[in-house]
Amino acid sequence: MAAVRVTMEIGSDGVAVITICNPPVNALAPSIIAGLKEKYTEAMNRSDVKAIVLTGDGGKFSGGFDINVFTEIHKTGNLSLLPDVSVKLVVNIIEDAPKPSVAAIQGLALGGGLEMAMGCHARVSTPEAQLGLPELSLGVIPGFGGTQRLPRLVGLPKALDMMLQSKSIIAKEGEKYGLIDAIVSPEDLLKISRCWALDIAERRKPWISSLRRTDRLCSLSEAHEILKAARQQVNRIAPNMPQHKECLDSVEEGVNFGGYAGVLKEAKVFKELVLSSTSKGLVHVFFAQRATSRVHSVTDVGLRPRKIKRVAVIGGGLMGSGIATALILSNTPVILKEIDSNFLQMGLKMIQANLEGLVKKGSLTQDKMNKALSLLKGVLDYSEFKHVDMVIEAVIEKVSLKQSIFADLENACPPHCILATNTSTIDLNIVGEKTRSQDRIIGAHFFSPAHVMPLLEIVRTDKTSPQVILDLMTIGKAIRKVPVVVGNCTGFAVNRTFFPYTQGAHLLVHLGVDVFRIDRVVSSFGMPMGPFQLQDVAGYGVALAVKDIYDSAFQGRTFQSQLVELMVKSGRNGKNNGKGYYIYEKGQKPKPDPSVEAIIEESRRLSNVMPGGKPIAINDQEVLEMIFFPVVNEACRVMDEGVVIRASDLDISSVLGMGFPRYRGGIIFWADTIGSGYIYAKLNKWAKSYGNFFKPSAYLEARATKGLPLSMVNVSGSQQSRSRM
Ligand SMILES: C[C@H](O)CC(=O)SCCNC(=O)CCNC(=O)[C@H](O)C(C)(C)COP(=O)(O)OP(=O)(O)OC[C@H]1O[C@@H](n2cnc3c(N)ncnc32)[C@H](O)[C@@H]1OP(=O)(O)O
């Protein structure tokens, strides 16, 4: 592995090429920053250097400030770990230097990387380079002058769009907006950047300090109008996070009092935000996502992923068509199999509609849609299955049907072919019972809509081979999913952990709490919608289908009522038919339907769980806790049984699969900010009043008794808590 260092080569033309080397993304670690200061100082002092080219090694400029430093600060609270880069390095040493710098950008310049490039006097880039300031997605704001220089280079509207949405652009767009001065091929990058730097030094090209530019900024009154609109947008998109508002405040400081004043404010706010709980949660999720790529005995045993050239999807329903859409969108040819031509046509149409939806939203071009469709073929039998490398079965949840399909697949597919099922409930050992191919049977549990939702739960049994797991992880990444490898149990990791979410909400309703209040409390916490609206959107079929399965798998700790059946009986089917707990009308926000109250009352009467027949009186915090603490409790069982290999897998799964607020760090991370002792005590109290639904698990009890975090999977001494395996 290349050493972490900054190098400097001085050419006979008088240009010093300073190169950042910190694979894989040239993160700006404190040692890199120290190295940059040292090399720049040397370049300034040497009489044979006229100009500088700043670049990155290995085809990448820089992925920004080293995020590991944030983690260290989150653990220790020690802000002195943050080097002073914004003023000391970017303003004083690079931008205000007596010798000009040109950034030679390849691959990516993100966060602090782009900010350093913007401190240079020009930027030359290769065409594919990705440019952006994604700091807000880590709970901070740009801290090396980005809030000031980006608006001065690309104009305020574009800069706000890029920062508030953490949106990257590619070099071509960067050139259009003025962020990039020239686009060149990778072969010419250094040569042209050197000439550019010399041209600036010898005044053949302008010597521009971004911070002092004003030509791209609009008038003060226009700027205030743009900022006002942005503030309204921020209240909508990020009501529970501080960094968006702080970012706008820093930009406004610079608009009102000049770039340097803005830089000073930005540096102060940046430091404050590094310590915020939002940053702690978001940085945790960043690393939790990357940790999913490491699976012991799978990714560390020297296996190479095999090429998956062609995939067959069985079943063209909602899930099958979504999975096929995701595959063809990422250039994987798909055979879609259905039982008759009617169903097949419906499946193919659904895939086309999925793609058209993306075109309509602007996230896919018509050309790419046509290309994707050309990779799709519908079939009615298994004759072409001899040419596929993977099959994903996505038929209805019926054991006998799945068993017979897998028995057929064993004969129809080549021996190397991966046999995956998208079941969300059935034990994989049972699915594969009638085959001799247990080693290549695996769960590929997508979330609906499969072409949109980012999570892929990869379910392995004791017999699934590591090669098959690795192959599915690889194809999962290729279709832009985050694959999380989990063990085999009812509901697997995500649905199992979250079954008490819906049931807890139903229990509260039957204890007398208002449905719409529950939804309001849960959405204000940061979930995309409350549990009842979610049930409306998902359709009641799902709730009815899993009811008995959960009841028998999690005996003694489920809550059942007649509510969903009564809703269906009254002609309600959720969003599907426009009538659920809410009324759904085209083009309008869902409206609470007061007439469900009578149905709820009937269900309350049948369940008869209110103590003394009276509604319980609880505050909003208790509403939230009574819904989420049982989820935490089930998550504890999931960890205890080894269904996940580390706590952070549940964090990323809860964020990507259930919409748990990312800035709260995921379900276990959030629970640990509250404390195992508190959660245990509350569950214990409710178990006594309201029954075993709330009974704390042994795992939770063990951590609460010892005062340990829930993320500490192994309490017998090893230091796995929060570790990134
Ligand atoms: C003061 C400043 O304003 C503050 C900042 O600059 S904060 C940092 C801003 N930069 C970012 O947010 C970029 C974060 N990184 C990314 O988005 C993506 O990693 C990327 C687009 C750079 C590369 O993506 P991809 O090729 O899919 O690789 P990915 O798996 O994500 O990353 C490769 C490795 O680099 C690490 N890495 C990426 N960016 C990093 C960073 N800025 N600091 C430290 N490590 C980083 C990842 O953790 C991963 O490590 P691992 O292999 O040990 O798990």
Side-chain angles (χ1 to χ4, degrees):
M1 193 166 150
V4 176
R5 67 205 156 111
V6 178
T7 61
M8 180 164 75
E9 267 179 60
I10 298 163
S12 54
D13 53 359
V15 176
V17 177
I18 297 182
T19 305
I20 302 164
C21 178
N22 185 9
V25 301
N26 294 327
L28 302 171
S31 62
I32 293 289
I33 287 162
L36 284 168
K37 285 181 183 163
E38 184 197 313
K39 296 299 180 204
Y40 256 94
T41 308
E42 190 186 335
M44 292 307 145
N45 289 337
R46 284 180 65 144
S47 57
D48 56 346
V49 174
K50 293 188 213 153
I52 292 111
V53 166
L54 179 61
T55 194
D57 193 41
K60 291 182 178 125
F61 187 78
S62 168
F65 185 61
D66 185 351
I67 302 168
N68 291 294
V69 177
F70 292 159
T71 306
E72 208 43 46
I73 296 171
H74 294 159
K75 275 196 218 139
T76 60
N78 181 4
L79 275 175
S80 71
L81 293 170
L82 287 178
D84 184 351
V85 179
S86 192
V87 173
K88 277 203 181 138
L89 177 59
V90 186
V91 175
N92 295 351
I93 299 184
I94 301 179
E95 192 168 44
D96 286 353
K99 299 174 187 177
S101 287
V102 168
I105 302 172
Q106 206 176 344
L108 47 85
L110 297 174
L114 180 61
E115 292 175 282
M116 229 166 240
M118 291 192 291
C120 294
H121 303 96
R123 284 147 297 280
V124 178
S125 175
T126 55
E128 87 301 338
Q130 190 192 341
L131 314 163
L133 295 181
E135 283 89 341
L136 271 66
S137 66
L138 295 168
V140 294
I141 60 170
F144 296 170
T147 63
Q148 306 306 311
R149 291 190 183 86
L150 192 60
R152 284 166 176 77
L153 284 166
V154 303
L156 197 49
K158 185 68 186 171
L160 291 182
D161 186 44
M162 287 173 69
M163 289 190 286
L164 296 178
Q165 314 264 1
S166 292
K167 218 194 271 172
S168 302
I169 56 176
I170 58 161
K172 200 167 164 41
E173 196 178 353
E175 189 185 32
K176 178 175 141 204
Y177 278 94
L179 180 56
I180 295 299
D181 296 287
I183 296 189
V184 301
S185 69
E187 300 74 47
D188 288 338
L189 181 66
L190 277 184
K191 191 179 76 193
I192 292 182
S193 301
R194 300 178 90 105
C195 293
W196 202 293
L198 278 178
D199 283 349
I200 299 177
E202 287 155 14
R203 305 287 172 172
R204 290 186 293 275
K205 278 197 162 53
W207 188 322
I208 299 169
S209 145
S210 316
L211 200 58
R212 295 200 179 81
R213 270 178 76 168
T214 52
D215 55 309
R216 296 284 285 146
L217 286 181
C218 38
S219 73
L220 206 53
S221 62
E222 271 174 315
H224 285 157
E225 277 308 307
I226 293 167
L227 285 163
K228 193 170 147 201
R231 283 184 199 285
Q232 283 163 359
Q233 182 200 5
V234 159
N235 288 339
R236 267 197 327 274
I237 63 168
N240 294 344
M241 290 186 262
Q243 70 273 27
H244 295 73
K245 187 185 154 294
E246 296 287 4
C247 178
L248 293 176
D249 287 351
S250 290
V251 171
E252 187 155 14
E253 178 85 1
V255 165
N256 289 340
F257 305 110
Y260 190 69
V263 161
L264 295 182
K265 172 157 178 103
E266 178 201 88
K268 181 172 163 287
V269 171
F270 172 72
K271 278 196 169 183
E272 287 163 6
L273 286 172
V274 171
L275 286 175
S276 66
S277 58
T278 309
S279 172
K280 287 177 188 162
L282 289 171
V283 167
H284 172 75
V285 171
F286 175 85
F287 284 117
Q289 179 165 337
R290 272 122 196 118
T292 59
S293 301
R294 293 185 280 278
V295 179
H296 182 52
S297 299
V298 174
T299 57
D300 55 359
V301 287
L303 294 171
R304 294 256 160 272
R306 294 173 297 180
K307 190 134 184 59
I308 307 287
K309 291 197 215 94
R310 206 165 185 218
V311 177
V313 175
I314 304 184
L318 187 67
M319 288 312 293
S321 59
I323 295 167
T325 309
L327 286 159
I328 56 174
L329 270 173
S330 302
N331 295 325
T332 305
V334 170
I335 304 173
L336 181 74
K337 179 180 177 303
E338 257 299 354
I339 42 170
D340 65 33
S341 54
N342 221 356
F343 281 121
L344 184 58
Q345 285 317 312
M346 273 159 53
L348 294 173
K349 272 200 188 125
M350 218 172 325
I351 295 169
Q352 173 139 5
N354 287 342
L355 295 171
E356 281 166 357
L358 297 176
V359 172
K360 214 165 158 190
K361 267 200 324 208
S363 51
L364 187 73
T365 63
Q366 187 68 41
D367 272 2
K368 286 201 174 137
M369 167 171 158
N370 295 342
K371 164 95 200 302
L373 282 174
S374 74
L375 299 173
L376 178 68
K377 181 171 181 196
V379 298
L380 294 172
D381 61 34
Y382 288 119
S383 53
E384 294 200 34
F385 276 49
K386 52 183 173 294
H387 301 302
V388 299
D389 305 302
M390 179 160 88
V391 179
I392 303 176
E393 165 275 309
V395 304
I396 53 167
E397 295 284 69
K398 198 167 158 198
V399 172
S400 56
L401 176 62
K402 290 195 194 261
Q403 284 182 335
S404 89
I405 288 175
F406 273 76
D408 288 345
L409 288 176
E410 198 174 32
N411 296 324
C413 302
H416 74 272
C417 179
I418 297 166
L419 306 179
T421 169
N422 178 54
T423 180
S424 55
T425 41
I426 304 172
D427 186 327
L428 296 193
N429 288 316
I430 297 175
V431 171
E433 210 170 67
K434 304 223 161 117
T435 72
R436 295 170 313 282
S437 299
Q438 271 88 357
D439 59 333
R440 54 190 173 118
I441 290 181
I442 191 162
H445 182 215
F446 290 82
F447 291 73
S448 182
H451 62 295
V452 177
M453 292 291 280
L455 184 65
L456 170 61
E457 239 180 338
I458 295 184
V459 188
R460 60 173 162 187
T461 69
D462 293 344
K463 294 170 201 129
T464 313
S465 84
Q467 181 67 57
V468 166
I469 300 170
L470 181 71
D471 293 343
L472 188 51
M473 287 174 74
T474 309
I475 187 97
K477 282 192 181 168
I479 61 173
R480 299 201 194 97
K481 304 290 172 204
V482 176
V484 179
V485 176
V486 303
N488 188 19
C489 68
T490 301
F492 313 131
V494 178
N495 288 345
R496 156 104 185 255
T497 297
F498 274 84
F499 90 81
Y501 174 68
T502 318
Q503 293 197 357
H506 276 253
L507 175 51
L508 277 190
V509 166
H510 289 80
L511 287 170
V513 184
D514 177 57
V515 164
F516 305 112
R517 177 178 171 213
I518 293 175
D519 271 7
R520 268 198 311 277
V521 170
V522 170
S523 340
S524 325
F525 174 72
M527 296 294 281
M529 60 186 83
F532 293 98
Q533 196 186 340
L534 179 65
Q535 205 162 49
D536 273 355
V537 170
Y540 301 153
V542 183
L544 294 172
V546 294
K547 198 174 156 175
D548 292 344
I549 297 172
Y550 288 159
D551 222 17
S552 77
F554 312 127
Q555 270 174 27
R557 61 174 196 274
T558 54
F559 172 73
Q560 298 294 359
S561 77
Q562 302 289 309
L563 182 53
V564 177
E565 279 96 337
L566 291 174
M567 293 285 284
V568 174
K569 257 192 213 153
S570 75
R572 288 161 200 264
N573 212 353
K575 198 178 171 191
N576 254 343
N577 72 347
K579 277 189 291 186
Y581 301 98
Y582 295 79
I583 299 164
Y584 298 85
E585 279 162 4
K586 227 182 169 166
Q588 293 195 16
K589 278 190 179 165
K591 280 198 282 283
D593 182 355
S595 69
V596 289
E597 198 47 43
I599 304 168
I600 291 168
E601 272 311 323
E602 171 67 1
S603 188
R604 281 180 181 147
R605 199 183 56 74
L606 293 170
S607 78
N608 194 25
V609 290
M610 284 186 214
K614 288 209 178 84
I616 61 167
I618 52 173
N619 63 29
D620 284 356
Q621 188 183 331
E622 282 168 307
V623 169
L624 195 76
E625 292 178 351
M626 286 176 85
I627 289 175
F628 280 105
F629 287 1
V631 175
V632 171
N633 201 22
E634 197 60 31
C636 287
R637 294 189 179 96
V638 165
M639 290 189 285
D640 203 17
E641 291 169 27
V643 177
V644 288
I645 51 176
R646 64 199 135 221
S648 66
D649 282 358
L650 274 182
D651 286 326
I652 190 70
S653 303
S654 63
V655 169
L656 300 181
M658 289 306 299
F660 192 85
R662 182 178 275 265
Y663 57 87
R664 295 193 193 275
I667 188 75
I668 300 298
F669 185 88
W670 171 73
D672 276 338
T673 63
I674 295 166
S676 54
Y678 179 86
I679 297 172
Y680 174 75
K682 283 290 182 107
L683 285 169
N684 231 347
K685 187 181 111 185
W686 298 326
K688 284 182 190 132
S689 308
Y690 312 120
N692 274 352
F693 178 78
F694 293 106
K695 191 171 174 230
S697 62
Y699 181 103
L700 172 58
E701 184 173 5
R703 271 112 198 120
T705 315
K706 294 186 177 135
L708 296 172
L710 298 176
S711 57
M712 186 172 276
V713 174
N714 186 348
V715 290
S716 57
S718 91
Q719 292 297 307
Q720 285 187 1
S721 161
R722 298 170 195 283
S723 70
R724 292 188 235 124
M725 290 183 283

